[in-house]
Amino acid sequence: MKIFLETKRFILREIIPADVDGLFELDSDPAVHRFLGKNPVSDKSQIVEAIHLIRKQYIDNGIGRWAIISKDKNEFIGWSGLKLVTDITNNHKNYYDLGYRLIKKYWGKGIATETALASLKYAFNELNAAEVFAMADCENIASNKILKKVGFHFIEIFDLDGIEHNWYRIDRNKFENKKSNT
Ligand SMILES: CC(C)(COP(=O)(O)OP(=O)(O)OC[C@H]1O[C@@H](n2cnc3c(N)ncnc32)[C@H](O)[C@@H]1OP(=O)(O)O)[C@@H](O)C(=O)NCCC(=O)NCCS
């Protein structure tokens, strides 16, 4: 099983079929899906399919979201990381997107921020990305806060399936400047 990154408290590793229960706990929770289209999963077979698709992205694109595992208790926390978006979103295509999604009991402990920063480092240092984009429902206060905190710049508001979202971008220079200022 490939480990991609380590932060102070977590390991970021590839998502594997054995993550099905953790991912089901995550994605069947309506609170988690409040700003994700309000359509939580109801059946584990949907998770099995999602794991299959993520693992296919690792092969096809060389990147995909990673499982967050706590170092102290070896617990499945959720996922964080990069995805190569190959369909059109806000007029962009074939770009790296940063995202994160945690099981509710782990919210409010700085986990999304810690793993987002590590993922950005990976984007610029390992993938040699020129830029990374991210988006969040305008009302998702926590996510918008995290994106600004890790150095993203707000670009514009756009409509995603009838819901206003903020669109963000960060490039290597901005990330380097951000790091040297923190
Ligand atoms: C969004 C999410 C990933 C945040 O994860 P987290 O680990 O709790 O975030 P952090 O602890 O790093 O907190 C980041 C900031 O947001 C704040 N915050 C967290 N939850 C908040 C809430 N519900 N309302 C307002 N602020 C909140 C924190 O206080 C922190 O601010 P600070 O740096 O000023 O202290 C988590 O709530 C989640 O998984 N939500 C469901 C999925 C989702 O919405 N994903 C994002 C899609 S764009």
Side-chain angles (χ1 to χ4, degrees):
M1 175 187 346
K2 185 160 181 197
I3 294 173
F4 288 87
L5 283 179
E6 247 184 76
T7 68
K8 203 165 150 231
R9 295 179 291 167
F10 307 100
I11 281 167
L12 297 183
R13 63 146 170 80
E14 64 179 313
I15 289 175
I16 55 173
D19 294 326
V20 63
D21 290 333
L23 283 168
F24 186 70
E25 182 178 355
L26 176 70
D27 278 312
S28 58
D29 183 346
V32 169
H33 277 257
R34 178 173 169 206
F35 298 113
L36 306 173
K38 296 189 172 61
N39 191 18
V41 304
S42 50
D43 195 293
K44 271 195 189 162
S45 65
Q46 295 168 272
I47 299 295
V48 171
E49 176 61 15
I51 293 172
H52 175 74
L53 288 175
I54 291 167
R55 293 188 62 77
K56 190 169 180 310
Q57 290 168 9
Y58 295 152
I59 296 165
D60 293 348
N61 305 333
I63 192 73
R65 311 293 196 197
W66 298 314
I68 307 169
I69 308 294
S70 66
K71 284 184 182 172
D72 58 350
K73 295 184 179 161
N74 199 31
E75 284 170 329
F76 178 91
I77 308 286
W79 58 253
S80 185
L82 304 157
K83 175 182 177 180
L84 184 75
V85 177
T86 52
D87 52 359
I88 295 175
T89 305
N90 192 28
N91 301 316
H92 289 66
K93 197 180 169 181
N94 296 327
Y95 65 90
Y96 290 118
D97 167 88
L98 178 78
Y100 29 67
R101 193 178 297 179
L102 315 181
I103 293 173
K104 193 166 176 218
K105 62 182 175 237
Y106 300 110
W107 291 5
K109 302 174 194 298
I111 300 175
T113 305
E114 184 172 326
T115 57
L117 268 174
S119 300
L120 280 180
K121 268 186 216 159
Y122 188 91
F124 294 120
N125 297 342
E126 305 298 326
L127 295 178
N128 214 16
E131 58 186 0
V132 176
F133 291 92
M135 62 182 186
D137 184 318
C138 294
E139 293 182 8
N140 191 343
I141 297 170
S143 188
N144 283 290
K145 228 176 176 181
I146 293 160
L147 293 174
K148 286 183 210 140
K149 206 158 61 162
V150 301
F152 276 90
H153 287 235
F154 167 76
I155 305 290
E156 62 196 353
I157 292 178
F158 74 105
D159 179 284
L160 184 72
D161 301 328
I163 295 168
E164 287 194 331
H165 280 68
N166 290 326
W167 180 253
Y168 293 93
R169 175 180 181 274
I170 187 169
D171 62 26
R172 179 187 303 276
N173 285 341
K174 286 190 193 117
F175 185 60
E176 292 300 329
N177 290 341
K178 171 81 190 166
K179 271 197 303 183
S180 55
N181 290 333
T182 48

